[in-house]
């Protein structure tokens, strides 16, 4: 096992439902160390850049509008196999298909408003961490 980092976002639906504290508590209990964190509101341009990989998907415009509809809370998390561990505890993209006890099952509303984002590979985690945080902002 290797200790590494992943990027987490608590999305606008969960922030509006005041679930930030519950989600952070869940993540700490699952063994993640929060080594950087910020609350922010994405601009349209920032959201489009972050999700550029999905720009040709039919849900892209809706996704962007959702992601800029309210504040988000962004974390860098450290753990053993952080990327795969987070994907496991996050659950399926669609909360209806997510396993019991996963974040999206517990707190997601639907396939779009699904409470959290987690990086899908170490390469993307590094890109996403650098998108949101400078080196100075991450505990090392
Ligand atoms: P994940 O977040 O599980 O990695 P994707 O990378 O496929 O999922 O999609 C990115 C985000 O786009 C999802 O978390 C969700 O908010 C939104 N999304 C994905 N598929 C759909 C869909 N079919 N309809 C609406 N929104 C979607
Ligand atoms: Mg994804």
């Amino acid at each position: 096992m290797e200790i590494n980092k992943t990027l987490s976002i608590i999305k606008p639906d969960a922030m509006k439902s005041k679930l930030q504290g519950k989600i952070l508590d869940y993540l700490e209990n699952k063994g993640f160390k929060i080594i950087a964190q910020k609350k922010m509101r994405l601009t349209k341009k920032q959201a489009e850049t972050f999700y550029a990989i999905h720009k040709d998907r039919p849900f892209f415009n809706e996704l962007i509008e959702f992601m800029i509809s309210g504040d988000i809370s962004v974390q860098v998390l450290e753990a053993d196999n952080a990327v795969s561990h987070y994907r496991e505890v996050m659950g399926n993209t669609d909360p209806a298909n997510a396993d019991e006890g996963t974040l999206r099952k517990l707190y997601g509303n639907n396939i779009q408003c699904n409470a959290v984002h987690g990086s899908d590979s170490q390469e993307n985690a590094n890109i996403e961490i650098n998108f949101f945080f400078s080196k100075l902002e991450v505990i090392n």
Side-chain angles (χ1 to χ4, degrees), residues 51 53-54 87 90 93 104 117-120 128:
Y51 277 121
I53 194 167
H54 295 307
R87 294 295 297 189
M90 177 168 74
T93 307
R104 283 171 165 171
H117 165 88
S119 310
D120 63 5
E128 292 177 1

Side-chain angles (χ1 to χ4, degrees), residues 74-125:
V74 192
Q75 295 80 30
V76 179
L77 302 176
E78 193 173 70
D80 290 338
N81 299 315
V83 172
S84 57
H85 185 31
Y86 192 95
R87 294 295 297 189
E88 265 173 49
V89 302
M90 177 168 74
N92 191 279
T93 307
D94 186 350
N97 298 326
D99 289 342
E100 290 299 329
T102 59
L103 280 172
R104 283 171 165 171
K105 186 68 163 191
L106 288 166
Y107 304 125
N109 296 292
N110 54 56
I111 196 168
Q112 174 180 265
C113 302
N114 54 8
V116 286
H117 165 88
S119 310
D120 63 5
S121 67
Q122 192 59 62
E123 190 189 354
N124 285 335

Side-chain angles (χ1 to χ4, degrees), residues 22-90:
K22 285 198 171 75
I23 292 170
L24 294 175
D25 185 53
Y26 177 105
L27 291 170
E28 288 194 322
N29 277 306
K30 292 288 183 187
F32 292 98
K33 184 175 170 195
I34 301 163
I35 59 169
Q37 176 158 238
K38 71 173 87 176
K39 188 173 178 180
M40 62 185 294
R41 179 82 66 113
L42 286 172
T43 65
K44 190 166 190 182
K45 207 168 172 188
Q46 288 168 337
E48 286 171 350
T49 304
F50 182 75
Y51 277 121
I53 194 167
H54 295 307
K55 67 181 189 319
D56 297 325
R57 307 280 285 276
F59 59 80
F60 181 70
N61 290 335
E62 246 187 89
L63 172 62
I64 297 308
E65 289 307 315
F66 164 57
M67 289 301 293
I68 67 173
S69 68
D71 296 341
I72 59 171
S73 176
V74 192
Q75 295 80 30
V76 179
L77 302 176
E78 193 173 70
D80 290 338
N81 299 315
V83 172
S84 57
H85 185 31
Y86 192 95
R87 294 295 297 189
E88 265 173 49
V89 302
M90 177 168 74

